[in-house]
Amino acid sequence: MRVVCIGGGPAGLYFGLLMKKENPAHHITVVERNKPYDTFGWGVVFSDATMENMRAWDPDTAREIESAFNHWDDIEVLIKGRRMRTTGHGFVGIGRKKLLNILQARCEALGVELVFEREVDSDLEFPDADLIIASDGLNSKIRNRYPEAFKPDLLMRPNRFIWLGSKKPFDAFTFDFRRTEHGWFQAHIYKFDDDTSTFIVETTEDVFTAHGLDKADEAKSITFCEQLFGEVLDGGKLLSNARHLRGSAWLNFGRLICGKWSHFNGKNHVVLMGDAAHTAHFAIGSGTKLALEDAIELTRQFRNLGDTPDKIRAVLDAYEEVRAVDVARIQNAARNAMEWFEVVGSRYADTLEPEQFMYSLLTRSQRISHENLRLRDKTWLENYERWFAARAGINVDPDGPAVPPMFTPYRVRGLTLQNRIVMSPMAMYSAADGIPNDFHLVHFGSRALGGAGLIFSEMTCGSPDARITPGCLGLWNDEQAAAWKRIVDFVHAITSAKFGLQLGHAGRKGSTRVAWEGIDQPLHEGNWPLISASALPYMPNGQLPLAMTRADMDRVKADFVAAAKRSVGIGFDILELHCAHGYLLSSFLSPLTNHRTDEYGGSHENNARYPLEIFRAIRAVWPDEKPISVRLSCHDWTEGGNTPSDAAIYAKMFKDAGADLVDCSSGQVSKEEKPIYGRLFQTPFSDKLRNEIGIATVAVGAISEADHANSIIAAGRADLCALARPHLADAAWTLHEAAKIGVKSISWPKQYLSAKMQYEANLARATLGPRPS
Ligand SMILES: Cc1cc2nc3c(=O)[nH]c(=O)nc-3n(C[C@H](O)[C@H](O)[C@H](O)COP(=O)(O)OP(=O)(O)OC[C@H]3O[C@@H](n4cnc5c(N)ncnc54)[C@H](O)[C@@H]3O)c2cc1C
Ligand SMILES: Cc1cc2nc3c(=O)[nH]c(=O)nc-3n(C[C@H](O)[C@H](O)[C@H](O)COP(=O)(O)O)c2cc1C
């Protein structure tokens, strides 16, 4: 086969040499516009996994690279006069020039033709090639010729960065955060050869312009950075080698995803590789790794499917199928890390204490969790756990076992929870006439015995027509209050769990069947009239609600207040006002469901007017020492709907009205929603609200392991973690997770104590694996 790689970066060179090595009969040319040994940039970092892959495919190159590597384990963070260090993080760095020189030399040794100083304008310049590799980087001319075919999606990110070098050999991957009169700058610093380090300075666009850096030339920008980071540089110089860049040396990162990676141009197959196909932000240092792994995968597919021209189509499809998955995974992690650096100044740097700031930084990609950190640096993590526990009010024994963050107590107003785990509200559709019965006693009782610090009732309503279904719970009469009291008294008498009541009104989503007979489907008979912010049905075949009148508002408010008053007597510990999921109060907050033109619609202030009125009314009758939480849909996941920025505005209004916590859920407002599910998928909303608005939050949604909860609480992404489905699957979720992470100090109900040791011993035995026969 005749193969031409356009662009001699890591992708083009490595693919060239691997293919030539696989079959020396191939004719392979790499065409590069720069001179040999002439390149931009400083050092790049790799992970151990990439090196293992490279050793398997070409040990010669791997050996050369490894002998040029600088390896380091430590991460050091500098902020607000503090210098903090952790170890066990395992990076390797190499100069980009050195890497390219090794790849070029190996290409020459294997017989790959290298053509330098030739600018390629079109793939059509190589009519004889069977295959053209577009390895010409982010601004790929080849990709840009065929936007219809490759469907590139390039998103320029808001932060500015400048890629510099330093002759100070830093002995740790160093992050230095500096505040100026206009805001925060951060430097990402890592050594890549004996005496040189990469030094990337990053900030937000507004801070960048406030300092006039948009008008500064490169020399001025460098002087500015030298002064700002003078302490970490020991007064040393910063160096540039980006002279080929025109204009400002400060760049914006371009995040690239391509809908398709290959195209037949009528004469030859063209395939994208490396930065031409995708980019991953330098915050997790994976661009070069992705380029090299692309090269390996394409070579693997030729090896598996055949390396003749007739196989090219199938090979390219298989290559794209495999790589698209891996690349999406890395891009996801890179996005989390990149976004962390985009908001660090406005969200974390001023608010979090240095210890917690560092934890948040280390877990920024959300691929490194609490237990990962324990594996990397046990001492550091346990000291952090002690620091966190002391902040939570525990008397910490510096030599005793550390308490993981989810098992620390949490205090809000006069309420103290024994740990940070909450059973999330879950409708069970198992009541008649709104009265809790024996099912509810067993359901709540067993979950309270299961170790959660707080259990919440399902959405409970102040009138029969406020219910979702005829099976939903209510609190509008004394019979219901007495039945509730029996359950709350049981929980308080037998367990240490606290009990919360979620108060809500179904609004336009009411008068439907119980879940297992058809979620959101109207009743077969006995439907009741519905009210909502506006006269818009939830389901296309659903009942049309009436837009609430002021008289409706007064009646519903009186019901909420009456239920809140009854719950004082029952002895609930906390109330939650349900303002999420498209129910009545949520229907006011979302522009999708609120089309009102009076003072209850049309702006954030108007949309929140009635929900805030209800909040203030129940706050007035609820004891001062007891907290109230508000549940919000922080994202409607629908074009034109609320986003987390809107949720932040509402959270601030509830905070100002006296709310103690925001429970950060999302969705269920519109049937058109397209949520992006995944592990901890709603935690970013909690993180945003907690750290931007300064209100305590509950994170919820696809949190299923102690490791998740510990990571969230420790990083300050939430104060509490609520779990719904895991509590249906396992009433004793908290006790079981404690045992799984080896925490033995959590007490089990005294009646069940004899099971505790056996459970822990069985887990320990399972970890050791099967006994040898
Ligand atoms: C600030 C910063 C820090 C980074 N840090 C890291 C890191 O720590 N670790 C990491 O793995 N990655 C890092 N990267 C990313 C990394 O540099 C790229 O992802 C990687 O180089 C991609 O390799 P590539 O071969 O696809 O493209 P490139 O390295 O961009 O190579 C493309 C080549 O094509 C040539 N070319 C382009 N157009 C033409 C043309 N028309 N004709 C001929 N030749 C052409 C170019 O001269 C270039 O040599 C960083 C990037 C930035 C911006
Ligand atoms: C069966 C069931 C019923 C639910 N009922 C309610 C409810 O009454 N009120 C509410 O705010 N959320 C309700 N939810 C949503 C949960 O509280 C929670 O936010 C959601 O399930 C995501 O958490 P998870 O991933 O831990 O299940 C319900 C969820 C389930 C599974």
Side-chain angles (χ1 to χ4, degrees):
M1 283 198 309
R2 295 184 74 82
V3 180
V4 175
C5 303
I6 301 175
L13 290 169
Y14 197 49
F15 178 71
L17 74 86
L18 288 183
M19 274 302 277
K20 189 74 181 171
K21 182 168 174 257
E22 286 287 291
N23 184 348
H26 294 318
H27 188 275
I28 300 183
T29 309
V30 178
V31 187
E32 166 59 45
R33 66 175 165 210
N34 290 333
K35 296 186 185 128
Y37 315 124
D38 179 20
T39 175
F40 72 93
W42 296 95
V44 293
V45 292
F46 286 172
S47 67
D48 291 344
T50 311
M51 278 322 300
E52 208 170 293
N53 218 349
M54 291 182 80
R55 271 194 294 275
W57 281 87
D58 185 33
D60 286 21
T61 315
R63 206 173 309 115
E64 285 282 316
I65 292 177
E66 275 167 322
S67 66
F69 263 155
N70 259 273
H71 178 273
W72 72 101
D73 277 324
D74 292 4
I75 294 181
E76 190 163 279
V77 180
L78 286 86
I79 185 163
K80 298 183 208 165
R82 293 283 301 279
R83 184 183 281 266
M84 300 164 294
R85 193 178 266 245
T86 151
T87 193
H89 300 279
F91 301 97
V92 279
I94 184 171
R96 181 176 156 101
K97 271 189 190 180
K98 182 75 194 171
L99 171 69
L100 292 185
N101 293 168
I102 291 170
L103 297 177
Q104 287 161 358
R106 183 72 177 136
C107 279
E108 278 166 356
L110 288 166
V112 174
E113 184 191 7
L114 298 182
V115 178
F116 290 100
E117 296 182 75
R118 174 171 169 192
E119 171 90 30
V120 178
D121 288 315
S122 160
D123 44 311
L124 301 179
E125 291 173 31
F126 308 95
D128 299 339
D130 298 299
L131 175 64
I132 291 177
I133 309 289
S135 48
D136 50 346
L138 172 63
N139 299 315
S140 171
K141 276 189 186 167
I142 308 303
R143 183 195 66 232
N144 289 342
R145 278 176 54 83
Y146 304 108
E148 300 298 316
F150 293 121
K151 300 185 178 56
D153 168 13
L154 179 63
L155 182 68
M156 296 315 285
R157 301 300 307 191
N159 267 13
R160 290 289 187 149
F161 68 91
I162 184 167
W163 203 4
L164 302 169
S166 155
K167 282 291 168 191
K168 176 176 166 182
F170 288 84
D171 67 345
F173 199 126
T174 304
F175 294 98
D176 188 5
F177 296 83
R178 298 274 151 184
R179 203 187 200 305
T180 69
E181 67 276 28
H182 298 301
W184 287 88
F185 282 80
Q186 59 257 14
H188 312 233
I189 314 161
Y190 50 93
K191 188 172 110 172
F192 63 85
D193 69 22
D194 287 345
D195 62 355
T196 330
S197 299
T198 299
F199 200 109
I200 305 168
V201 178
E202 188 187 9
T203 190
T204 54
E205 182 75 25
D206 54 334
V207 176
F208 169 77
T209 34
H211 279 283
L213 291 167
D214 50 335
K215 299 190 187 71
D217 60 15
E218 189 184 57
K220 275 205 182 117
S221 295
I222 290 179
T223 307
F224 174 86
C225 294
E226 283 168 352
Q227 281 167 1
L228 184 59
F229 293 101
E231 188 187 327
V232 79
L233 285 165
D234 298 327
K237 294 267 161 223
L238 283 170
L239 316 166
S240 160
N241 66 0
R243 292 191 212 296
H244 61 289
L245 295 173
R246 281 180 296 275
S248 169
W250 294 80
L251 303 172
N252 290 86
F253 175 75
R255 192 279 287 124
L256 175 73
I257 296 172
C258 284
K260 186 91 189 102
W261 293 24
S262 66
H263 168 62
F264 186 69
N265 67 12
K267 276 204 160 16
N268 5 58
H269 291 279
V270 182
V271 64
L272 306 179
M273 188 177 280
D275 271 14
H278 46 69
T279 54
H281 190 259
F282 56 84
I284 62 162
S286 291
T288 307
K289 160 199 163 78
L290 286 179
L292 295 172
E293 288 175 356
D294 282 354
I296 290 174
E297 189 54 41
L298 189 55
T299 312
R300 186 200 320 275
Q301 294 300 342
F302 275 117
R303 184 189 278 183
N304 290 349
L305 301 176
D307 61 351
T308 48
D310 57 314
K311 299 291 188 324
I312 292 178
R313 181 71 273 144
V315 164
L316 298 187
D317 287 346
Y319 156 75
E320 180 178 336
E321 197 181 323
V322 174
R323 287 305 291 154
V325 175
D326 273 0
V327 166
R329 199 172 43 80
I330 298 283
Q331 283 185 323
N332 258 340
R335 190 192 59 220
N336 292 339
M338 170 182 76
E339 287 176 356
W340 192 93
F341 283 109
E342 287 171 0
V343 299
V344 62
S346 59
R347 199 181 283 181
Y348 309 114
D350 287 314
T351 48
L352 299 182
E353 291 186 66
E355 286 82 355
Q356 191 164 43
F357 179 86
M358 181 166 178
Y359 187 102
S360 177
L361 167 68
L362 294 174
T363 54
R364 66 193 179 277
S365 73
Q366 288 178 41
R367 283 200 309 171
I368 294 177
S369 69
H370 199 71
E371 294 308 318
N372 290 145
L373 286 175
R374 197 185 306 282
L375 290 176
R376 287 163 188 238
D377 190 346
K378 190 165 183 278
T379 310
W380 181 86
L381 188 80
E382 289 187 352
N383 282 335
Y384 181 70
E385 288 183 334
R386 289 192 186 93
W387 177 88
F388 189 93
R391 285 286 178 290
I394 293 185
N395 261 338
V396 175
D397 169 4
D399 302 318
V403 180
M406 69 183 253
F407 292 111
T408 59
Y410 181 69
R411 194 175 165 82
V412 49
R413 293 199 188 223
L415 173 68
T416 301
L417 305 178
Q418 62 174 347
N419 62 50
R420 310 297 185 108
I421 300 303
V422 178
M423 180 182 98
S424 201
M426 276 180 289
M428 293 285 104
Y429 313 107
S430 297
D433 300 324
I435 307 169
N437 54 40
D438 286 354
F439 168 80
H440 300 97
L441 174 70
V442 174
H443 171 65
F444 289 120
S446 50
R447 273 134 196 102
L449 285 164
L454 172 65
I455 59 165
F456 259 114
S457 77
E458 66 190 59
M459 182 174 95
T460 301
C461 306
S463 66
D465 67 343
R467 290 174 300 170
I468 309 169
T469 75
C472 290
L473 284 167
L475 188 46
W476 62 82
N477 63 34
D478 292 345
E479 192 181 357
Q480 292 158 346
W484 271 118
K485 188 157 181 358
R486 173 174 168 244
I487 301 174
V488 173
D489 285 350
F490 171 84
V491 166
H492 284 158
I494 305 294
T495 80
S496 329
K498 301 297 178 188
F499 206 147
L501 178 76
Q502 189 188 54
L503 276 177
H505 187 301
R508 67 179 191 150
K509 293 174 83 175
S511 190
T512 63
R513 297 175 221 165
V514 296
W516 44 89
E517 288 175 9
I519 292 185
D520 299 325
Q521 296 304 318
L523 293 171
H524 293 298
E525 54 187 35
N527 282 294
W528 56 83
L530 300 181
I531 48 173
S532 188
S534 297
L536 300 163
Y538 180 58
M539 301 284 282
N541 66 336
Q543 197 191 137
L544 186 67
L546 292 174
M548 279 181 100
T549 61
R550 187 58 237 186
D552 293 326
M553 291 183 191
D554 290 341
R555 176 176 58 83
V556 170
K557 182 166 76 173
D559 292 339
F560 267 105
V561 169
K565 278 185 181 160
R566 281 200 158 92
S567 50
V568 179
I570 294 168
F572 282 108
D573 301 293
I574 174 172
L575 290 184
E576 176 164 282
L577 185 62
H578 200 338
C579 297
H581 302 169
Y583 296 116
L584 184 71
L585 299 180
S586 158
S587 76
F588 279 86
L589 295 179
S590 171
L592 298 173
T593 47
N594 185 344
H595 293 179
R596 297 178 76 107
T597 51
D598 59 5
E599 69 265 45
Y600 299 102
S603 65
H604 288 113
E605 204 188 348
N606 284 357
N607 292 355
R609 195 180 304 280
Y610 185 60
L612 283 171
E613 186 180 328
I614 299 286
F615 177 82
R616 290 197 185 96
I618 60 170
R619 186 62 268 179
V621 299
W622 184 241
D624 239 19
E625 70 280 8
K626 294 194 181 190
I628 305 187
S629 146
V630 174
R631 187 165 244 211
L632 292 180
S633 277
C634 297
H635 204 318
D636 287 347
W637 305 110
T638 310
E639 194 70 35
N642 281 336
T643 66
S645 303
D646 300 296
I649 294 171
Y650 292 133
K652 171 87 172 61
M653 292 178 179
F654 279 106
K655 179 191 173 196
D656 293 345
D660 301 289
L661 289 147
V662 174
D663 187 348
C664 301
S665 188
S666 74
Q668 300 176 50
V669 169
S670 159
K671 271 285 162 199
E672 311 292 305
E673 69 179 1
K674 292 198 171 55
I676 303 170
Y677 293 119
R679 190 171 51 97
L680 320 187
F681 75 112
Q682 295 173 154
T683 301
F685 312 145
S686 160
D687 184 1
K688 179 180 171 71
L689 269 45
R690 182 178 191 272
N691 294 305
E692 284 182 8
I693 306 302
I695 183 154
T697 58
V698 185
V700 62
I703 300 169
S704 54
E705 296 169 16
D707 196 22
H708 299 159
N710 278 323
S711 307
I712 293 169
I713 303 292
R717 298 197 163 94
D719 298 273
L720 300 173
C721 284
L723 293 86
R725 290 163 298 171
H727 274 115
L728 295 185
D730 182 358
W733 184 89
T734 307
L735 299 182
H736 290 160
E737 286 297 308
K740 283 184 201 159
I741 58 168
V743 176
K744 299 192 173 165
S745 55
I746 305 304
S747 55
W748 283 39
K750 57 180 184 277
Q751 297 86 341
Y752 299 168
L753 262 183
S754 55
K756 182 172 187 269
M757 269 172 60
Q758 186 200 36
Y759 190 78
E760 288 165 355
N762 285 345
L763 280 175
R765 207 168 300 129
T767 325
L768 291 177
R771 233 182 290 168
S773 50

